[in-house]
Amino acid sequence: MMPGDHVPDWQNLSILERNTEPPHADLIPYDDWESALANERERSPNVQSLNGEWHFKYGESVAEVPADFYMASFEPNGWATIPVPSNWQLHGYGRPHYSSCPYPFPINPPYVPNQNPVGCYRTQFHFQETTNNQRVHLVFEGVDSAFHVWINGRFVGYSQGSHFHSEFYVSPYLNEGQNVIAVQVYQWCDGSYLESQDKWRMSGIFRDVYLLSSPQVSVRDVRVSTHLDEGYAKAKLEVRVDFADVTDAPFLKSDFFQLRTTLLDADRHIVCDRYHHVRQDEPVAELIQEVFSPRLWTAETPYLYTLLLTMYDKKQQIVEVKSIHVGFRDIRIEEGQLLVNGNPIIIKGVNRNEFDPELGYVTTKESMLRDITLMKQHNINSVRLSHYPNDSRWLELCDRFGLYVIDETDLETHGFHFYGNEGHLAQQPEWKEAFVQRAKRMVERDKNHPSIIMWSLGNESGYGANHDAMAAWIREADPTRPIHYERAYDAPVVDVVSSMYPAVETVIQEGCKDDKRPYLMCEFGHAMGNAVGNLQEYWEAIYTYPRLLGGLIWEWADQGIKQQAERGGAWYAYGGDFGEEPHSGHFCLDGLLFPDRSIKASLLEYKKAIEPVKIEVMDAALGKLRVWNRYDFVPLSHLQGLWSLGQDGVMVENGELARLHTPAGQSEDIHVPIDVHKLKNKGEYWLHIHFMLRDPVVWAEKGHEIAWADIPVLTVAEAPEPKDAAQEATPLTLHEAGNEITLAGQDFLMVFDRHQGAMTAWTYKGVSLLTTGPKLHLWRAPVDNDVHLAKEWVKAGYNRLVTDVREVAIDRTEAGGSRITVKSVVGARGGKIAFDSRMVYTIAADGQVTLYVQIEPREELPPLPRFGVELVMPDSFNQLSWFGRGPHECYADRKESGKLGLYSGSVQEQFVPYIKPQENGNKADVRWSSLRNQEGVGLLFTGEPAFDTSVHHYTTEDLTTTKHVHHLTRVDQTIVKLDARQSGLGNHSCGYAPTLDKYLIKAEPMNFTIRLRPV
């Protein structure tokens, strides 16, 4: 029924659309081959974009819609304008609403509230009739969530399904010259029950709107499939062409039309060329063509042919050309593996939402190009379209750049979890048509893209008969691709078994199962905040068990909405920041990238975990290595290998490896010509190997690094210092007065407070080095993955520990130094004593302090956040240098991507601005670090043998309690943490993957030693 009738279309389950064209492949009509080969719709005179500034009127309900606003004579006086495409919430109408699961309205299907916000749109455009626009269609590529449309006051149609194309035949409604389009968009409709994805809920016309003109006899739809023989030496290209309304074209009896199908290779050479007469009694043409020695498409070798469909009239004049990229490839499942062109592949992927921090759902070509370039540069080979069909231009990029795609229909009913049954609608027969229609619209639009290797029935919608009906339709329409749907798990309806956020142990169990279908982690490694721990263990399992297909990280980028602060500067909003309820807080900040696409360490770790070249050490001292090719198809000949030998962070030798031709999946032994007999100077020696592109590719320049390895070679110990030299320093002067212990030596002075059991001052050459001396530090600002652990930590009082000094003893050392031993008890106010602590300061005559820290728990306690000390220096000490892993932050279970080397930078540069503040900036496997002021004076920290460190101008307390990074208070201090260990990051902000046991810090007796020296 139309708006105003008893049951409006937008909450009438029997009305899914009115007057829409049947879904079909995304085809743009061009006038010539050159334009069709460029395949840029802007170059087609048959496409008239209607994007731009439209008149706009917002209302809180249908009752506020201006009467007759759709009439051509209506004057939108006083109306604002809004860009199309856009989301109206980002232009001051209503408010963005972030929800991972709950619906924004009471659950009462198919009804949504009558107070349903509406956006009324109007625009004028000029239409010029030509001989080639006898058939004109109006296309909306994406409207959230439903809409009615009128042209020149006449009703055209209705559609819903936010992320699908909606197309209307509009020739009868158009006038020569000026025309008016009016669109009434509803924030919610019954289809909103099928769109409960983890995303910002926003409304409006958010993708392109345009007119498509075509001749009376035109190609309406094309279905292309490729079939390869067993040896992959010959292919069969099958093309089915549907013509537009030829049965209603009586002139075909006298006129003569031909369809020419031409297949061109990537160099535009003709591979095959055929003509077909278009007849009135044959609305469909089916063509089969053999192709010998085809170049095959894979994500590693994305070779594309172009199929041109050229319509000629009786004068042999071109009336239209449409083009389709063709990738020759086949997909099969055999013995628990997914095969592309007969080879098993591994999915190394990400889940990607279409979201821009400033534009919302609007995704520009530039942003898509940026995303796919970054993915390819970080060894990613797959993307899941979560959780709806993407802009079709994204699929074109995936075809061209080489990404395997899991195409997912716009269907999720996760909010029914609060109804008691997430799959309620999937089990209701009256919803079957709505379910099947969403599968059909996805498949029909996207069927010709070679990058798509799997269809997905949606996400988190329980499981029911309606999913079976979707799968049955897809298998009939496209038997060439497998079907995925996680909530069906191992039900017969799916060809690939999958789950979300499994623990490593669960993945191994799946790898051992006797199931002929592959197992996929369709979501894992929830990249929320400072995250993505223990990737190495997942990928070791994947490469061990053939049934494991791989996985896709959730998700690609943070979904924060950019805001301007009152005093200038930008910040990112998350759930609840707009006063919306119910909301899911900062759960939208779960990407490998920040919203502006700047890179997090998580992405670097993922790149390292999935790198396609693996180095196995045979004999490092002799330079004997084994190189494994983990590509699925290509040999290693496209990579250049370089090596260098480092000594304590300084390169002493380097060279180029011989060119490798290692086939995919195989290994090759190599020799690096290092001479360990020449390595006699003190230091730690290691070999750095890295592989980079020999030649530029579409996604990277020549020299782009693909894979690397750091390999320890040997350590040469320092020769013992002569005893005379060791005693050259003048013995310390020790003075005790009241609570203070003062130690003085050449160029330095230290003061200890007996009551505090801590160093309260340390000056070197007249410069004050300390504000607060080292103190036991066990707490960290919880990362998002600590969500469960942190509850135990808080219960144990780790966030509020205080130290009570029980004993301070001082004595002299043989070499003229002193030793101060501080014994304390540590516990939370109001709680039991948790630990006994001992800190021993051994101060050498030359000013070096060796700090020994020991703790012993008094009873059973949960694992610790960290075990170390914290000291505070004046903020003038703001230059950090270190020898360890870097340059980015590294943690116990996320440090494989950290290269061993010498690094430096300001303290503020080490801060990682997670939008929801948390622990950040840690440096792992540090041999030494130093903090200096502009004059080069400072402290040098040396581990025995290594330690973790981080430096900030923010307190741990502030990082723990502050909700947004721009609200943090910078202190005029440099806060230094020196840790024996810090807890791993894990994967527990979502799902079932707690921090692995080996990365937890068990509450048991432990100790560590670190040296501090003024420099």
Side-chain angles (χ1 to χ4, degrees):
M1 295 183 180
M2 289 290 295
D5 290 341
H6 179 61
V7 181
D9 290 350
W10 44 269
Q11 52 184 356
N12 185 344
L13 188 56
S14 65
I15 301 297
L16 301 179
E17 57 192 351
R18 289 182 185 270
N19 303 335
T20 58
E21 292 290 291
H24 58 80
D26 188 22
L27 298 168
I28 299 297
Y30 297 94
D31 283 356
D32 53 60
W33 276 25
E34 195 64 30
S35 300
L37 286 168
N39 200 24
E40 296 173 354
R41 70 171 67 147
E42 297 84 358
R43 294 180 58 168
S44 173
N46 304 305
V47 178
Q48 182 175 345
S49 174
L50 299 180
N51 292 353
E53 292 292 323
W54 290 38
H55 285 101
F56 182 75
K57 182 73 172 178
Y58 175 79
E60 290 292 341
S61 72
V62 176
E64 296 183 21
V65 173
D68 300 333
F69 91 95
Y70 53 87
M71 297 298 294
S73 58
F74 181 86
E75 291 293 336
N77 296 324
W79 283 31
T81 61
I82 195 170
V84 170
S86 70
N87 293 116
W88 69 55
Q89 286 86 350
L90 297 182
H91 292 270
Y93 304 99
R95 57 189 176 189
H97 188 144
Y98 171 64
S99 175
S100 169
C101 178
Y103 289 104
F105 45 75
I107 300 174
N108 183 30
Y111 304 109
V112 293
N114 281 320
Q115 285 295 107
N116 184 5
V118 176
C120 298
Y121 295 77
R122 285 178 58 96
T123 193
Q124 291 187 337
F125 65 95
H126 186 85
F127 179 73
Q128 181 69 46
E129 289 189 3
T130 68
T131 57
N132 206 39
N133 62 13
Q134 295 157 316
R135 298 183 54 80
V136 182
H137 291 83
L138 171 63
V139 180
F140 292 84
E141 291 198 337
V143 182
D144 193 310
S145 69
F147 66 101
H148 288 94
V149 59
W150 296 260
I151 293 180
N152 298 322
R154 299 170 63 190
F155 177 66
V156 172
Y158 168 81
S159 186
Q160 63 186 50
S162 298
H163 291 84
F164 298 109
H165 285 200
S166 299
E167 184 172 333
F168 305 91
Y169 175 56
V170 295
S171 293
Y173 308 100
L174 294 175
N175 299 326
E176 174 84 8
Q178 285 297 106
N179 292 263
V180 174
I181 287 183
V183 184
Q184 186 166 319
V185 178
Y186 308 94
Q187 182 164 321
W188 302 316
C189 68
D190 54 79
S192 300
Y193 283 106
L194 303 181
E195 297 176 8
S196 179
Q197 293 97 339
D198 175 5
K199 64 177 183 178
W200 286 95
R201 314 295 172 91
M202 294 191 287
S203 318
I205 304 171
F206 65 89
R207 287 186 185 159
D208 289 350
V209 184
Y210 50 89
L211 294 174
L212 276 181
S213 296
S214 57
Q216 186 66 36
V217 177
S218 173
V219 171
R220 189 194 74 83
D221 193 15
V222 181
R223 183 184 300 274
V224 175
S225 57
T226 61
H227 305 275
L228 305 171
D229 68 3
E230 288 188 7
Y232 294 93
K234 187 171 65 173
K236 206 188 302 183
L237 177 68
E238 293 186 1
V239 182
R240 174 192 165 109
V241 180
D242 288 64
F243 299 102
D245 297 335
V246 294
T247 54
D248 297 327
F251 59 84
L252 273 177
K253 292 180 179 178
S254 56
D255 282 1
F256 179 78
F257 282 82
Q258 277 189 317
L259 169 68
R260 181 183 181 185
T261 56
T262 310
L263 186 69
L264 304 177
D265 65 18
D267 296 320
R268 298 193 177 182
H269 298 140
I270 293 178
V271 177
C272 51
D273 200 14
R274 294 178 62 176
Y275 289 85
H276 175 85
H277 293 287
V278 181
R279 296 165 53 92
Q280 187 181 33
D281 58 348
E282 293 183 0
V284 176
E286 294 186 350
L287 311 169
I288 299 176
Q289 178 69 47
E290 284 192 337
V291 177
F292 295 92
S293 302
R295 294 278 297 274
L296 303 183
W297 188 98
T298 73
E300 295 169 13
T301 58
Y303 190 92
L304 291 174
Y305 294 79
T306 302
L307 179 66
L308 294 179
L309 301 153
T310 310
M311 292 291 297
Y312 293 92
D313 62 15
K314 63 182 178 181
K315 298 178 181 179
Q316 283 298 292
Q317 297 296 310
I318 293 176
V319 294
E320 97 174 347
V321 186
K322 291 180 176 176
S323 68
I324 297 171
H325 279 142
V326 175
F328 283 94
R329 58 105 184 95
D330 70 0
I331 303 159
R332 301 197 310 275
I333 289 176
E334 291 183 2
E335 299 301 318
Q337 294 184 299
L338 181 68
L339 309 182
V340 173
N341 304 334
N343 276 10
I345 67 165
I346 290 181
I347 297 292
K348 304 170 183 177
V350 291
N351 288 269
R352 174 182 175 267
N353 260 297
E354 285 191 316
F355 190 80
D356 184 281
E358 298 182 67
L359 302 177
Y361 293 175
V362 180
T363 50
T364 64
K365 288 193 296 184
E366 293 76 17
S367 70
M368 287 187 275
L369 189 61
R370 178 184 56 190
D371 275 356
I372 202 165
T373 299
L374 281 171
M375 288 180 188
K376 292 292 289 187
Q377 288 176 349
H378 289 84
N379 295 330
I380 289 164
N381 73 356
S382 310
V383 62
R384 176 171 171 235
L385 310 187
S386 48
H387 301 289
Y388 38 77
N390 283 195
D391 188 307
S392 56
R393 291 171 297 179
W394 174 253
L395 293 173
E396 292 169 7
L397 286 174
C398 292
D399 294 341
R400 183 161 64 94
F401 279 65
L403 280 184
Y404 298 122
V405 174
I406 300 175
D407 200 1
E408 192 154 88
T409 196
D410 194 357
L411 198 158
E412 180 170 336
T413 64
H414 199 183
F416 273 86
H417 164 78
F418 300 99
Y419 194 80
N421 177 10
E422 183 187 270
H424 174 74
L425 296 186
Q427 297 153 10
Q428 305 304 310
E430 63 270 25
W431 284 82
K432 175 181 174 181
E433 184 181 352
F435 274 63
V436 173
Q437 187 210 47
R438 288 179 179 244
K440 183 176 182 180
R441 291 171 77 179
M442 169 184 68
V443 172
E444 292 291 14
R445 189 199 74 168
D446 297 344
K447 59 200 170 198
N448 295 324
H449 290 281
S451 56
I452 298 172
I453 62 167
M454 214 180 295
W455 301 117
S456 172
L457 306 181
N459 187 64
E460 294 180 323
S461 303
Y463 175 54
N466 294 340
H467 289 112
D468 292 335
M470 295 171 75
W473 186 92
I474 291 175
R475 286 195 169 96
E476 178 70 23
D478 178 29
T480 69
R481 295 178 176 98
I483 289 174
H484 163 266
Y485 177 58
E486 179 266 343
R487 280 302 199 258
Y489 186 50
D490 60 357
V493 71
V494 293
D495 303 302
V496 174
V497 177
S498 65
S499 66
M500 298 178 180
Y501 311 108
V504 174
E505 181 182 0
T506 304
V507 172
I508 293 173
Q509 291 170 355
E510 289 289 344
C512 294
K513 283 186 178 179
D514 184 20
D515 192 323
K516 301 304 181 184
R517 296 170 295 177
Y519 169 79
L520 177 69
M521 297 183 290
C522 63
E523 295 178 22
F524 85 113
H526 198 250
M528 187 174 176
N530 192 0
V532 191
N534 65 267
L535 284 182
Q536 202 66 22
E537 286 78 7
Y538 280 106
W539 289 94
E540 286 172 0
I542 288 165
Y543 279 103
T544 300
Y545 300 94
R547 184 181 176 239
L548 300 181
L549 180 53
L552 303 106
I553 293 277
W554 184 272
E555 66 174 316
W556 176 237
D558 285 348
Q559 295 182 67
I561 296 179
K562 191 174 184 179
Q563 303 287 286
Q564 287 299 130
E566 291 181 6
R567 298 181 180 179
W571 61 281
Y572 291 101
Y574 54 75
D577 284 340
F578 299 99
E580 76 273 25
E581 286 289 346
H583 66 80
S584 300
H586 66 292
F587 205 63
C588 57
L589 306 177
D590 49 10
L592 296 169
L593 302 173
F594 287 102
D596 65 356
R597 269 43 179 185
S598 54
I599 293 170
K600 299 181 187 177
S602 298
L603 179 57
L604 301 178
E605 188 77 2
Y606 195 37
K607 177 183 179 180
K608 178 65 178 166
I610 60 178
E611 64 185 3
V613 184
K614 187 75 173 177
I615 304 293
E616 180 183 351
V617 179
M618 309 303 288
D619 190 327
L622 297 178
K624 292 184 177 181
L625 307 174
R626 181 165 293 161
V627 178
W628 287 91
N629 180 353
R630 284 186 165 177
Y631 284 106
D632 294 324
F633 296 94
V634 298
L636 296 183
S637 52
H638 69 293
L639 300 179
Q640 179 185 22
L642 300 177
W643 65 271
S644 61
L645 183 69
Q647 176 196 2
D648 288 346
V650 178
M651 186 175 70
V652 296
E653 197 176 0
N654 67 319
E656 182 175 354
L657 299 174
R659 188 166 189 162
L660 299 177
H661 298 275
T662 320
Q666 298 186 31
S667 65
E668 184 172 347
D669 290 347
I670 64 171
H671 174 254
V672 180
I674 58 175
D675 186 351
V676 295
H677 299 295
K678 294 181 180 179
L679 310 181
K680 297 180 180 179
N681 294 330
K682 169 193 172 290
E684 182 181 355
Y685 294 86
W686 79 97
L687 190 61
H688 180 73
I689 308 284
H690 68 118
F691 292 92
M692 55 192 188
L693 293 176
R694 286 188 178 274
D695 300 299
V697 291
V698 67
W699 45 266
E701 297 294 327
K702 173 184 177 179
H704 170 75
E705 187 175 79
I706 297 294
W708 62 271
D710 277 340
I711 301 162
V713 176
L714 80 163
T715 300
V716 177
E718 185 173 14
E721 194 174 31
K723 190 170 185 179
D724 292 344
Q727 293 179 341
E728 281 181 2
T730 304
L732 295 178
T733 299
L734 188 152
H735 178 71
E736 295 188 64
N739 293 324
E740 286 191 346
I741 303 168
T742 303
L743 297 165
Q746 187 174 353
D747 295 332
F748 73 91
L749 180 103
M750 297 178 188
V751 179
F752 284 83
D753 185 291
R754 282 183 175 274
H755 286 175
Q756 297 180 40
M759 190 187 299
T760 55
W762 189 356
T763 59
Y764 176 64
K765 293 185 176 181
V767 178
S768 175
L769 301 176
L770 283 181
T771 302
T772 304
K775 62 180 180 180
L776 184 68
H777 191 61
L778 306 181
W779 178 250
R780 77 175 180 195
V783 301
D784 290 310
N785 281 333
D786 291 335
V787 60
H788 303 293
L789 266 177
K791 294 175 184 176
E792 297 182 53
W793 294 345
V794 171
K795 186 177 179 182
Y798 292 162
N799 62 327
R800 54 192 187 279
L801 293 176
V802 293
T803 299
D804 186 16
V805 178
R806 293 305 173 91
E807 181 183 333
V808 177
I810 183 167
D811 59 285
R812 292 282 193 175
T813 64
E814 290 183 5
S818 295
R819 181 182 298 108
I820 299 175
T821 302
V822 180
K823 294 181 180 179
S824 308
V825 293
V826 182
R829 292 185 179 90
K832 295 180 181 179
I833 296 299
F835 300 96
D836 291 303
S837 152
R838 187 161 71 101
M839 296 180 69
V840 181
Y841 299 81
T842 303
I843 303 101
D846 63 358
Q848 175 174 282
V849 176
T850 301
L851 177 59
Y852 172 83
V853 183
Q854 179 186 36
I855 62 171
E856 186 170 339
R858 287 197 172 184
E859 58 183 32
E860 187 174 341
L861 291 167
L864 301 172
R866 71 189 332 141
F867 171 45
V869 295
E870 179 184 273
L871 58 90
V872 181
M873 302 175 70
D875 70 344
S876 58
F877 296 93
N878 60 8
Q879 295 300 310
L880 174 72
S881 298
W882 76 98
F883 173 33
R885 291 186 184 262
H888 52 275
E889 59 178 1
C890 292
Y891 290 82
D893 58 352
R894 200 195 66 205
K895 64 182 181 180
E896 297 302 316
S897 56
K899 295 178 180 177
L900 187 61
L902 287 171
Y903 303 101
S904 63
S906 71
V907 169
Q908 190 60 33
E909 285 172 340
Q910 313 316 310
F911 177 72
V912 183
Y914 294 107
I915 297 168
K916 168 66 171 62
Q918 53 202 275
E919 158 65 36
N920 69 86
N922 189 67
K923 315 302 179 189
D925 294 346
V926 176
R927 279 64 165 169
W928 62 260
S929 68
S930 69
L931 272 164
R932 302 177 188 242
N933 60 19
Q934 293 298 322
E935 288 72 41
V937 176
L939 280 175
L940 173 71
F941 310 101
T942 308
E944 292 188 359
F947 63 101
D948 281 18
T949 188
S950 59
V951 292
H952 292 100
H953 293 309
Y954 306 100
T955 67
T956 302
E957 292 73 22
D958 201 13
L959 290 169
T960 299
T961 58
T962 302
K963 302 301 183 185
H964 282 87
V965 66
H966 66 291
H967 288 153
L968 286 171
T969 302
R970 188 189 188 281
V971 295
D972 295 331
Q973 297 171 329
T974 296
I975 300 168
V976 185
K977 299 177 183 68
L978 308 167
D979 293 320
R981 292 181 64 193
Q982 191 177 158
S983 183
L985 298 174
N987 285 286
H988 215 189
S989 56
C990 184
Y992 317 97
T995 304
L996 295 184
D997 190 70
K998 64 183 177 181
Y999 299 121
L1000 295 173
I1001 306 174
K1002 301 295 177 59
E1004 56 192 14
M1006 64 184 86
N1007 62 76
F1008 84 105
T1009 301
I1010 193 162
R1011 293 190 298 272
L1012 299 78
R1013 179 194 292 272
V1015 289

